[in-house]
Amino acid sequence: MHATNFRKLTPVSLKGVTIADRFWAPRQEVNRTVTLPAEYEQCKKTGRIDAWKLDWKPGQPNPPHHFWDSDTAKWIEAVGYSLATHPDQELEELADAVIDMIADAQQEDGYLNIHFTVVEPQNRLRNLRDMHELYCAGHLMEAAVSYYEGTGKRKLLDVMCRYADYIDSVLGPEEGKKRGYPGHEEIEPALVKLYRATGEQRYLKLAKFFVDERGRRPHFFDLEARERGEDPAAHRGGGYDYNQSHLPVREQTTGEGHAVRAMYLYSGMADVAAETDDETLLAACERLWGNVTQRRLYITGGIGSSARGERFTYDYELPNDAAYAETCAAIGLVFWAHRMLQFDGNAVYADVMERALYNGVLSGISLDGRRFLYVNPLEVDMQAHRHKAERFGRPRFSPTRQEWFSCACCPPNIARLLASLGAYIYSQAEKEVYVHLYVEGSVELGIDGHAVALQVETDYPWGETVTIAVHPDQATGFSLALRIPAWCRAAEVQVNGEQVGIKPLMDKGYAKIRRVWQRGDEVTLRLPMDVVRLEAHPAVRANCGRIALHRGPLIYCLEEADNGGNLRDISLPDDAELRVTFDENLLGGIAVIHAEGKRRDLSRWKDRLYQPLSSATRTIALKAIPYYAWSNRTPGDMLVWIGRG
Amino acid sequence: MHATNFRKLTPVSLKGVTIADRFWAPRQEVNRTVTLPAEYEQCKKTGRIDAWKLDWKPGQPNPPHHFWDSDTAKWIEAVGYSLATHPDQELEELADAVIDMIADAQQEDGYLNIHFTVVEPQNRLRNLRDMHELYCAGHLMEAAVSYYEGTGKRKLLDVMCRYADYIDSVLGPEEGKKRGYPGHEEIEPALVKLYRATGEQRYLKLAKFFVDERGRRPHFFDLEARERGEDPAAHRGGGYDYNQSHLPVREQTTGEGHAVRAMYLYSGMADVAAETDDETLLAACERLWGNVTQRRLYITGGIGSSARGERFTYDYELPNDAAYAETCAAIGLVFWAHRMLQFDGNAVYADVMERALYNGVLSGISLDGRRFLYVNPLEVDMQAHRHKAERFGRPRFSPTRQEWFSCACCPPNIARLLASLGAYIYSQAEKEVYVHLYVEGSVELGIDGHAVALQVETDYPWGETVTIAVHPDQATGFSLALRIPAWCRAAEVQVNGEQVGIKPLMDKGYAKIRRVWQRGDEVTLRLPMDVVRLEAHPAVRANCGRIALHRGPLIYCLEEADNGGNLRDISLPDDAELRVTFDENLLGGIAVIHAEGKRRDLSRWKDRLYQPLSSATRTIALKAIPYYAWSNRTPGDMLVWIGRG
C-alpha cells in the first residue's frame, strides 16, 4: 500500500513490526501454536480440506457448502501473516499442501469454487445475491496475497490472478458481461489487495465496478432472479438493505443490513476511494462511519444488534442480552476503521479500532485459543438461555464458547486478525510516523532514506506509561504522532525527560512531536487510566439508569463467577470508590476493578412477588473483569451495563 | 351454586346485585349498548354467525374455523348476563335468532360443531389435542346456562344437554368409550355449570373424568395421534406442559403452558374439588395458585409472559415489553380466583381477583368499548414496533387496539366478564355476608329466612370511603365480612359512627363485624389510598432498579401522550412527592398521579453515543394514569415500571 492524494498515511507492514508485550504477544503465540492447528483440524474433520479434491458425488453425505472455501482461505491468510513474523515449518507445510489442492481444483477456465464445481455446476455465477461465490473468491485472493507476502510463494497468487481474470471476463460494465456484484461483499477489498500486490489495474477497475454498480436500477438481483425463473420479491433477506444494495453506495447514509457484509463493503469503498481519489466515495464512507459509530455501535465495538439477519436495526437500538454483535462484524469494523484512519490520520478511527480490538473482537476467542464466540452479548442470563434451549432446542448460537460452528466464519477471521495485528500499530506519512496502538515491541522504518527504529516499552493496556526510544541511523527530522486516546483526559508527554505542553501538539487526536531526532531520544507518554463510569446516549433505552466501567481501552463486565448470578439486581452507587488491583493469576493476568455495590436482601421477600418499596439492600464486594476475558470460567450470567445505585 | 363441605361461600348471583357507581356502571352500559352490538356485527361480517347455517361447501372461501363456535358462544353468554340485569329487546332478539341457528345446526345424534360438520366431518373428535371441539362445546354450555338463567329460555340449554349427553356417550372411563380429554380446557368448568343448572350428575362426573384423566400414562394424546397415523412427538406445542397434560393434575405444582388453558383447567379443578369434596384436588389448586401468583404474575394481574405459546415460562420471568399477558388469561385468572375465594373466604384470592379486574383485564377493552387489546404489555416502545412491522410485516398482535382479531377470543370474553361483574362482588356463607369488591349499588340477600338489603355508597376506586347501610326486614344476626385489601395498610371501620378496632375483627383478610343488624345500621370503611411505590422481587430481572406506582387497586403507568416518548430515560427519585388530582375530563375521569421526575438533557449529547457519566438531568413534570386506561389516545410509548432516580 502506498500513499495517494487522498490517503496520506501508509500502514507499516507486518514484517517491520515486533510485538513483545505481555498482552498481545502471548495471544499471537497461542494463535500460532494452538488456534491455527486446531482450526486446520476442524476444517479437516468437517470435510472442508478434502472437499478441494472435488471428489464429492451427488448422493454422498456432507455436500460441500457454498461458503466452505472461505474457511480454508481465511486459515491460509492467517498462516501467511503468522509466517511473516514467526517462521513455523509445520504450519507452512500444512498450508502448502492445502494450496496445492486448491491449485489442482482450479478449472481450465480459471474458475475456482468447490460447491459450484461438484454440487451445482449448472448454477455457476447464476445467483450472486445469495450464493457467496465472489465472497469465497475474495477470501482466497486475500489468502493469496497474505501467503505471497508472508512466504514469497506465488503459487496461490497466480491461481487467484487467473480466477480474478476469469471473473473479470464474466462480470463488468462491458458489452457481453453481466453487470453483477456480490450479495455478500468481500471481493471488493480483496481485489484492491490483489491490485496492490500485482499492479494489475484491471483488478482495481473490477473492484470499482462492483462498488459503483451496487444498488443501481434496474436492480441486478432482480434481473438475475428473473433469469433463474424466481420472483425477486421472494428474497429471504427481506429487502435489499440486507446486503447494502438498497441504494447506490454513494447515496447510502446509514449502516444497514448484515453487519459483516456492510463492513466488507465499506472497507472496499474506502480502498477504492483511496486508490482512485474518489471524493464522493470517501464522503459516503464518512457519512456511514458517522451513523455506525454514533448511533449503532456497542460500547464493546460490537455492531449488528439483531440476530435476525445478523444485522443493523435502527439508531440507538442496542439491546444487551439480545445483542448479536457477531465477532466477524467487530473484526470487519477494525478493517474499515484502519482504512479510514489512513486517509488523514484522524484518531476517531483509531479510537474505534482500539475499542473493537481490545473488547468485542478479543471476546470472540477464549484465552486458551481453542473456543470461540460467534455472538458477543453485553448481558447474559443463563437461566433464560437454559430455559429456551430446553423448550425450543439448542439455539443456533449460544452465549457459551464453542470449538467450531457449522457456519465457521468467525474462528479463522479472528485468527487472521491476531496474526496480522502488527500491521495495525503504526503508519507513516510524509515525514510523519504515527503510533496508533501502544504495544511493547519495536518497528523498523525508512524515513527520507534513513533507517529509523522505534523501541516501545509499555505495559499497555494495564500500565499507564509508554516510553518510545527513537533510534535513527543518523539525526532525522520527522514528526512522531502519538495517539492520545479519546478515553484519556489527562495525557502527559515528556521528551527526554522534559514535560511538554500537549495541547499545542494536538492534531486530529494525535500529539505530534516534530524534531530532528537523535539516536537515543526518548518520549514518555503518560495515559492515566482512572476507572471511568460511562453512560450511553439517553435514546439507548437498554442502558437508561445504567453505567459501564472502563479503564484505559478496556470495557469491563461483571461475571457470575465473581459476583453471583442475577447481576441486574446489583447496583453501583455513583459515588462508590472504584479500586484497581492487578491479579496475575486470574484469566491470564488482568487488572480487576473492585467496588462496594448493593444487592437487595432476598431474606426479606419470602413468597411475595411485589411489595412496597423498601430501600433495604446489603453491601457487596463487586469485582469487574475486562469484557474480553469473560466466558473463560464456568458459564454464567454476565453484565456490562450496571445499574446505578 | 350452593355451599358444600369444602366450599363455605356461595357467590350472590347477578340478579340480586345492582351496580350504580361511576366506574363500572358506565362500562356495563357501554358493554351492552356498544360492545355487544359491535361484536355481533364482527361475528356477522366475518361469517361466524352464518356459519351456523352449515351451508359452507368444500372449495368455497372462508371455511368455518375450528374455534369459531366459541366466539358466538361467548357473545350469547355475555348477552345472557346482560339481560339478567338490563333487559334489552334488541339484544335478546339477536341472541334468540342465533340460538335458533345453533339449535338447527345440531346433528341427529346431538353432535354440534360447525367446522367438524361441514369442513372435516370425517375427523370428528379424532384430534382432541389440537382441534378445540370440547372447548367450543364448553363455551356453548356456559352460554346455555347464562342465557337460561338470564332469560328463563331453555332452548339452548336443552340443545347443550343433548350435546353433553352425546359427548358423555363417546368419552369417559367406561368400556367402549375413549379416555380422551380436551387439549384446550374449558368444558370442565362448563360441565359443572351445566350440572348445577340441571342437577344432572353425569355432567359433573364427566367433568371429573376430564380432570382426573388428564396427564395419565399412557398419554391419551399419544394414543390418539398414533390412531391418526401421526407421530406424537411432532406435536407443534412442544411438550405436553403446553396444554397442562405433562402430569396428572394432582401432581402439577407450577403454572405451565398456555395460560388461558391453564386458567380454565384450574377453574374446572376448583369446581370439581368443590362439588366432590376432593381434598387432593383442592390442594393441587392451592399449590398451583401459590406458584402462579407468587412467581409468575404481572403486577397488572396479567399472566403468560411469552408470546411464543401464549404461555407461562419460568419463575420470575416477567419481561415488560415482550409481555404477552393475554386479556383472556387475566380473565381466566379472575374466574379461578373467584372459585378459590369461595372455599373459605381467604382474601388472598380476592386481592388477586381485584388486581386483575381493575388492571390487566380492563386494559383489554378501550374506553369506548369498540377496540381491544389481545396482549397487555407493561412497556411499549413504538419505535421498535414500527421498525419490526416495516421490516418483518405486521405482527400477529400489535400493542395498539383493534376492533377484532382473526383469533377473536378476547373481545367476547371481556364482554361476558363485564356483563357478569355483579356476580363477583358478594358471597354468602352461614350467617356471613362477604363483600369482596367495593362497588356502589346494592344487593338483596336472604339470611335465615329474612330479606336483607345492603346499600353501598362509595366512589371506589377513586374515593377512600365505603358506606354500607344494612336493611334487614327485621333485626337479623350475621357477620358482615368486609375485605381489607392487601394494598391498604391503615384501614378503619366505624359502625354507626363509632370507630371499631379493626385487628380483632380480622379473619383471612376480612374484617368481620358480627352483630344483630337493625334496619339502618351503617358501617363505614375507610381505605386510605396513598400512592405507593412497589418493587418487584429481586429475581424479576426486568424490574430491578424500577418501581411501579399504585393507588388503591389501580396500577399506574406513564404514557407518551403525557410524558413524551422514550420513557425509560425518565427516573423518579425515591423521595419525590406523589400528588393526586382527579381529572374529570381525562380518559373518562381518572385520578392522576403527579410527580417531579428527571430526564437526561439531550442537548448535552450531540453526536456522542457514550460519554463519562455526568448526572446532568432536567426536572420534568411526570403524570401517571391508571394502567387500565392506557392506549386510548394517540398510540405511543408506555411504561409501568419506572426507573428509580
Side-chain angles (χ1 to χ4, degrees):
Chain A
M1 201 190 297
H2 51 98
T4 67
N5 289 345
F6 252 50
R7 198 189 54 230
K8 303 196 183 67
L9 279 63
T10 307
V12 177
S13 74
L14 267 187
K15 290 203 171 185
V17 177
T18 308
I19 293 176
D21 67 339
R22 69 165 165 165
F23 190 83
W24 289 110
R27 304 301 293 243
Q28 288 199 314
E29 183 67 9
V30 164
N31 193 47
R32 185 172 66 84
T33 60
V34 176
T35 308
L36 285 173
E39 289 182 355
Y40 176 84
E41 279 312 309
Q42 290 288 353
C43 284
K44 180 81 186 165
K45 200 166 74 180
T46 56
R48 282 161 165 85
I49 302 288
D50 290 330
W52 288 106
K53 293 179 186 162
L54 304 183
D55 55 3
W56 182 87
K57 295 280 177 306
Q60 290 183 347
N62 200 23
H65 190 273
H66 67 267
F67 50 69
W68 270 9
D69 311 32
S70 67
D71 298 324
T72 330
K74 274 186 280 189
W75 178 81
I76 295 171
E77 184 185 347
V79 171
Y81 296 136
S82 186
L83 295 177
T85 50
H86 295 86
D88 186 317
Q89 198 185 329
E90 232 170 295
L91 270 180
E92 189 162 347
E93 282 170 9
L94 271 182
D96 284 344
V98 176
I99 287 169
D100 289 344
M101 293 169 79
I102 294 174
D104 289 346
Q106 187 162 37
Q107 303 296 294
E108 277 297 300
D109 55 4
Y111 184 79
L112 180 57
N113 181 288
I114 305 170
H115 179 88
F116 284 99
T117 302
V118 301
V119 182
E120 295 185 74
Q122 71 284 11
N123 289 329
R124 188 200 273 195
L125 292 175
R126 291 190 67 213
N127 185 352
L128 299 190
R129 188 186 68 193
D130 305 323
M131 293 309 284
H132 292 55
E133 275 160 298
L134 300 181
Y135 167 83
C136 287
H139 276 306
L140 283 165
M141 290 172 194
E142 290 204 81
V145 173
S146 162
Y147 206 71
Y148 167 62
E149 293 182 345
T151 64
K153 295 179 180 173
R154 291 193 59 101
K155 184 167 189 174
L156 189 56
L157 189 66
D158 292 339
V159 164
M160 290 315 297
C161 286
R162 280 186 63 208
Y163 189 15
D165 294 341
Y166 171 78
I167 294 169
D168 183 50
S169 75
V170 176
L171 301 175
E174 296 86 0
E175 190 66 34
K177 296 184 183 178
K178 283 205 270 194
R179 301 185 70 99
Y181 48 86
H184 196 316
E185 303 91 326
E186 155 61 25
I187 197 170
E188 299 86 344
L191 280 167
V192 177
K193 272 192 184 170
L194 201 61
Y195 153 68
R196 287 174 182 154
T198 62
E200 178 54 71
Q201 286 281 345
R202 272 184 305 118
Y203 302 152
L204 174 61
K205 207 172 133 231
L206 186 57
K208 178 171 158 55
F209 165 74
F210 287 146
V211 165
D212 289 350
E213 192 64 18
R214 194 166 204 88
R216 293 223 174 136
R217 299 300 191 268
H219 203 292
F220 174 74
F221 294 153
D222 285 355
L223 304 176
E224 185 202 45
R226 282 194 204 101
E227 247 178 57
R228 292 193 306 270
E230 291 171 13
D231 175 9
H235 178 36
R236 72 173 170 81
Y240 288 130
D241 57 347
Y242 171 68
N243 54 33
Q244 300 81 38
S245 67
H246 51 303
L247 287 172
V249 297
R250 287 172 186 76
E251 295 169 32
Q252 296 187 24
T253 55
T254 51
E256 297 296 346
H258 188 276
V260 179
R261 299 179 193 223
M263 291 304 105
Y264 291 179
L265 169 64
Y266 305 161
S267 296
M269 286 164 64
D271 284 340
V272 170
E275 297 297 345
T276 62
D277 291 1
D278 189 328
E279 274 185 55
T280 58
L281 197 53
L282 177 59
C285 285
E286 287 169 346
R287 278 193 302 273
L288 289 165
W289 179 270
N291 175 259
V292 168
T293 61
Q294 294 164 11
R295 301 282 189 276
R296 302 182 180 201
L297 176 69
Y298 283 104
I299 199 161
T300 54
I303 48 174
S305 50
S306 168
R308 203 161 163 179
E310 307 181 310
R311 66 181 292 157
F312 289 105
T313 56
Y314 55 92
D315 288 354
Y316 301 115
E317 208 253 347
L318 295 163
N320 293 310
D321 48 355
Y324 197 67
E326 185 182 335
T327 301
C328 282
I331 291 170
L333 180 61
V334 170
F335 296 157
W336 184 30
H338 188 234
R339 284 159 168 85
M340 297 301 288
L341 176 60
Q342 310 307 319
F343 281 97
D344 68 347
N346 190 327
V348 298
Y349 300 109
D351 284 329
V352 168
M353 181 173 84
E354 181 181 72
R355 172 159 291 182
L357 259 182
Y358 281 87
N359 300 285
V361 168
L362 202 49
S363 59
I365 185 167
S366 65
L367 294 173
D368 67 7
R370 291 182 193 283
R371 289 167 307 130
F372 305 90
L373 287 176
Y374 197 107
V375 301
N376 295 273
L378 281 75
E379 174 174 8
V380 171
D381 173 346
M382 282 309 293
Q383 193 183 7
H385 280 283
R386 273 193 300 267
H387 171 79
K388 278 185 194 141
E390 272 168 32
R391 177 142 290 148
F392 304 118
R394 189 187 169 78
R396 194 167 151 221
F397 299 109
S398 84
T400 49
R401 297 184 183 278
Q402 294 174 50
E403 291 190 350
W404 197 246
F405 308 94
S406 59
C407 174
C409 50
C410 298
N413 217 353
I414 197 162
R416 67 173 175 150
L417 180 56
L418 284 172
S420 61
L421 186 72
Y424 292 82
I425 303 176
Y426 307 97
S427 291
Q428 275 188 258
E430 211 194 332
K431 299 211 175 196
E432 288 186 319
V433 175
Y434 280 82
V435 186
H436 308 303
L437 302 174
Y438 297 106
V439 181
E440 181 154 294
S442 61
V443 59
E444 312 276 341
L445 308 158
I447 300 173
D448 269 354
H450 300 301
V452 178
L454 303 184
Q455 190 71 37
V456 179
E457 282 182 29
T458 180
D459 193 22
Y460 199 92
W462 312 123
E464 301 180 334
T465 306
V466 182
T467 304
I468 302 177
V470 182
H471 301 296
D473 59 4
Q474 65 181 78
T476 306
F478 64 91
S479 275
L480 184 61
L482 303 178
R483 176 173 151 259
I484 306 303
W487 54 258
C488 186
R489 285 174 295 180
E492 290 171 9
V493 182
Q494 292 182 356
V495 179
N496 293 328
E498 270 177 49
Q499 191 87 10
V500 181
I502 204 168
K503 242 187 181 159
L505 306 180
M506 293 303 296
D507 179 19
K508 301 195 194 75
Y510 287 80
K512 290 187 171 171
I513 305 161
R514 280 183 192 79
R515 59 187 278 140
V516 176
W517 297 90
Q518 311 289 334
R519 188 165 184 82
D521 277 350
E522 200 174 80
V523 176
T524 303
L525 182 63
R526 257 192 39 82
L527 301 169
M529 292 185 175
D530 304 327
V531 181
V532 174
R533 289 169 171 84
L534 293 171
E535 64 180 322
H537 188 285
V540 182
R541 299 187 183 209
N543 297 340
C544 289
R546 303 184 165 272
I547 56 94
L549 298 176
H550 83 101
R551 176 177 182 274
L554 300 175
I555 300 297
Y556 277 68
C557 69
L558 302 178
E559 264 203 314
E560 181 166 352
D562 301 307
N563 303 285
N566 191 16
L567 298 163
R568 281 230 189 177
D569 195 49
I570 286 176
S571 58
L572 178 63
D574 284 351
D575 57 0
E577 190 195 351
L578 303 167
R579 284 164 299 110
V580 176
T581 60
F582 196 85
D583 190 337
E584 285 288 353
N585 301 314
L586 187 61
L587 297 165
I590 55 169
V592 176
I593 300 175
H594 304 272
E596 280 195 353
K598 294 185 202 162
R599 254 187 199 278
R600 284 183 287 165
D601 190 352
L602 275 177
S603 68
R604 298 173 44 85
W605 278 86
K606 292 173 198 144
D607 279 337
R608 276 176 303 217
L609 187 49
Y610 304 103
Q611 68 179 18
L613 176 65
S614 83
S615 305
T617 53
R618 59 196 175 79
T619 298
I620 54 165
L622 279 190
K623 186 168 161 182
I625 64 163
Y627 176 76
Y628 78 78
W630 88 277
S631 191
N632 279 288
R633 294 176 288 181
T634 311
D637 291 353
M638 184 274 288
L639 186 71
V640 170
W641 289 94
I642 305 166
R644 290 169 63 185
Chain B
M1 200 191 298
H2 51 97
T4 66
N5 289 345
F6 252 50
R7 199 188 54 229
K8 302 197 183 67
L9 280 62
T10 306
V12 177
S13 74
L14 267 187
K15 291 202 170 185
V17 177
T18 307
I19 292 176
D21 67 339
R22 68 165 166 166
F23 189 84
W24 290 111
R27 304 301 292 244
Q28 288 200 314
E29 182 68 7
V30 163
N31 193 47
R32 185 173 66 85
T33 59
V34 177
T35 308
L36 286 173
E39 290 181 355
Y40 177 84
E41 279 311 309
Q42 290 288 353
C43 284
K44 180 82 185 164
K45 200 166 74 178
T46 56
R48 282 161 165 84
I49 302 289
D50 289 330
W52 288 107
K53 293 179 186 162
L54 303 183
D55 55 4
W56 183 88
K57 295 280 178 305
Q60 291 182 348
N62 200 24
H65 190 274
H66 66 267
F67 49 71
W68 271 8
D69 311 33
S70 66
D71 299 323
T72 330
K74 275 186 279 190
W75 179 81
I76 295 170
E77 185 185 346
V79 171
Y81 296 137
S82 185
L83 295 176
T85 50
H86 295 86
D88 184 317
Q89 198 184 330
E90 233 170 294
L91 270 181
E92 188 162 348
E93 282 170 9
L94 271 182
D96 283 345
V98 176
I99 288 168
D100 288 345
M101 293 169 79
I102 295 173
D104 288 347
Q106 187 161 38
Q107 303 295 296
E108 278 297 301
D109 55 5
Y111 184 78
L112 179 57
N113 181 288
I114 304 170
H115 179 88
F116 284 98
T117 302
V118 299
V119 183
E120 295 185 73
Q122 72 283 12
N123 289 329
R124 188 199 273 195
L125 292 174
R126 292 191 64 214
N127 185 353
L128 298 190
R129 189 187 67 193
D130 305 323
M131 293 309 283
H132 292 57
E133 275 160 298
L134 299 181
Y135 167 83
C136 288
H139 277 305
L140 284 164
M141 290 172 193
E142 291 204 81
V145 173
S146 162
Y147 207 72
Y148 167 63
E149 293 182 345
T151 64
K153 295 178 180 173
R154 291 193 60 102
K155 184 167 189 175
L156 187 57
L157 188 67
D158 292 339
V159 164
M160 290 315 297
C161 287
R162 281 187 62 209
Y163 189 16
D165 294 341
Y166 171 79
I167 294 169
D168 184 50
S169 75
V170 175
L171 301 175
E174 297 86 1
E175 189 68 31
K177 296 183 183 178
K178 283 205 271 193
R179 300 185 70 100
Y181 47 86
H184 196 316
E185 304 90 326
E186 154 62 24
I187 198 170
E188 299 86 345
L191 280 166
V192 177
K193 272 193 184 170
L194 201 61
Y195 153 68
R196 287 174 182 155
T198 63
E200 177 55 69
Q201 286 281 346
R202 271 185 305 118
Y203 302 151
L204 173 61
K205 206 172 132 231
L206 186 57
K208 178 172 160 53
F209 164 74
F210 287 146
V211 164
D212 289 349
E213 191 65 18
R214 192 167 205 88
R216 293 224 175 135
R217 297 300 189 270
H219 203 292
F220 173 74
F221 294 153
D222 285 354
L223 305 176
E224 185 201 44
R226 283 195 204 98
E227 246 178 58
R228 292 193 305 273
E230 292 170 12
D231 175 7
H235 177 36
R236 72 174 169 80
Y240 288 130
D241 57 347
Y242 171 69
N243 54 33
Q244 299 82 38
S245 67
H246 52 303
L247 287 171
V249 298
R250 286 171 186 77
E251 295 169 31
Q252 297 187 23
T253 56
T254 51
E256 298 296 345
H258 188 275
V260 178
R261 298 179 193 222
M263 291 304 105
Y264 291 179
L265 169 64
Y266 304 161
S267 295
M269 286 164 64
D271 284 341
V272 170
E275 297 296 345
T276 63
D277 292 0
D278 189 327
E279 274 185 55
T280 59
L281 197 53
L282 177 59
C285 286
E286 288 168 346
R287 277 193 302 273
L288 289 165
W289 179 270
N291 176 260
V292 168
T293 62
Q294 293 163 11
R295 300 283 189 277
R296 304 182 180 200
L297 176 69
Y298 284 104
I299 198 161
T300 54
I303 48 174
S305 50
S306 169
R308 203 161 163 179
E310 307 181 310
R311 66 182 291 157
F312 288 106
T313 56
Y314 55 93
D315 287 353
Y316 301 115
E317 209 253 346
L318 296 163
N320 293 310
D321 48 354
Y324 198 68
E326 184 182 335
T327 301
C328 282
I331 291 170
L333 179 61
V334 170
F335 296 157
W336 185 29
H338 187 235
R339 284 160 167 84
M340 297 301 287
L341 176 60
Q342 310 307 319
F343 282 97
D344 69 346
N346 190 326
V348 298
Y349 301 109
D351 284 329
V352 168
M353 180 174 85
E354 180 181 72
R355 172 158 291 182
L357 258 183
Y358 281 86
N359 300 285
V361 167
L362 202 49
S363 60
I365 185 168
S366 64
L367 295 174
D368 67 6
R370 291 182 193 283
R371 289 168 307 130
F372 305 90
L373 286 176
Y374 197 107
V375 301
N376 295 273
L378 281 76
E379 173 175 8
V380 171
D381 174 347
M382 282 309 292
Q383 193 184 8
H385 281 283
R386 273 192 300 266
H387 170 79
K388 278 186 194 139
E390 273 168 31
R391 176 142 291 149
F392 305 118
R394 190 187 168 80
R396 193 167 151 222
F397 300 109
S398 85
T400 48
R401 298 184 182 277
Q402 294 173 50
E403 289 190 351
W404 196 247
F405 308 93
S406 58
C407 175
C409 49
C410 298
N413 217 354
I414 197 162
R416 68 173 174 149
L417 180 56
L418 283 173
S420 60
L421 185 73
Y424 293 83
I425 303 176
Y426 307 98
S427 291
Q428 275 188 257
E430 210 194 332
K431 300 212 176 196
E432 288 186 319
V433 176
Y434 280 82
V435 186
H436 308 303
L437 302 175
Y438 296 107
V439 181
E440 181 155 296
S442 60
V443 58
E444 312 275 340
L445 308 158
I447 300 173
D448 269 354
H450 299 302
V452 177
L454 303 185
Q455 189 74 34
V456 179
E457 281 181 31
T458 180
D459 193 23
Y460 198 92
W462 311 123
E464 301 180 334
T465 306
V466 181
T467 304
I468 301 176
V470 183
H471 301 296
D473 60 3
Q474 64 181 78
T476 307
F478 64 91
S479 274
L480 184 61
L482 303 178
R483 175 173 150 260
I484 306 302
W487 55 257
C488 186
R489 287 174 293 179
E492 289 171 10
V493 181
Q494 292 182 356
V495 179
N496 293 327
E498 270 178 49
Q499 191 87 10
V500 181
I502 203 168
K503 241 186 180 161
L505 306 180
M506 293 304 296
D507 180 18
K508 301 195 194 75
Y510 287 80
K512 291 187 170 170
I513 305 160
R514 281 184 192 77
R515 57 188 279 140
V516 176
W517 297 90
Q518 311 288 336
R519 188 164 185 82
D521 276 350
E522 200 175 81
V523 176
T524 302
L525 182 62
R526 256 191 39 82
L527 301 169
M529 291 186 177
D530 304 325
V531 181
V532 173
R533 288 169 171 83
L534 293 170
E535 64 180 322
H537 189 285
V540 182
R541 299 186 182 210
N543 297 340
C544 289
R546 305 185 164 271
I547 57 95
L549 298 176
H550 83 100
R551 176 177 183 275
L554 300 176
I555 300 297
Y556 276 68
C557 69
L558 302 178
E559 264 204 315
E560 181 167 352
D562 301 308
N563 303 284
N566 190 16
L567 298 162
R568 281 230 189 177
D569 196 49
I570 286 175
S571 58
L572 178 63
D574 284 352
D575 57 359
E577 189 195 352
L578 303 167
R579 284 165 298 111
V580 177
T581 61
F582 195 86
D583 189 338
E584 285 287 354
N585 301 314
L586 188 62
L587 296 166
I590 55 169
V592 176
I593 300 175
H594 305 270
E596 280 194 355
K598 294 186 205 163
R599 253 188 200 277
R600 283 183 288 166
D601 190 352
L602 275 178
S603 69
R604 298 174 42 84
W605 278 87
K606 294 174 198 144
D607 279 337
R608 278 177 303 219
L609 188 50
Y610 304 104
Q611 68 178 19
L613 176 64
S614 84
S615 305
T617 52
R618 59 196 173 79
T619 298
I620 53 166
L622 280 189
K623 187 167 160 181
I625 63 163
Y627 176 76
Y628 78 77
W630 89 276
S631 192
N632 278 288
R633 293 175 290 181
T634 312
D637 291 353
M638 184 274 288
L639 185 72
V640 170
W641 289 94
I642 305 166
R644 290 170 63 185

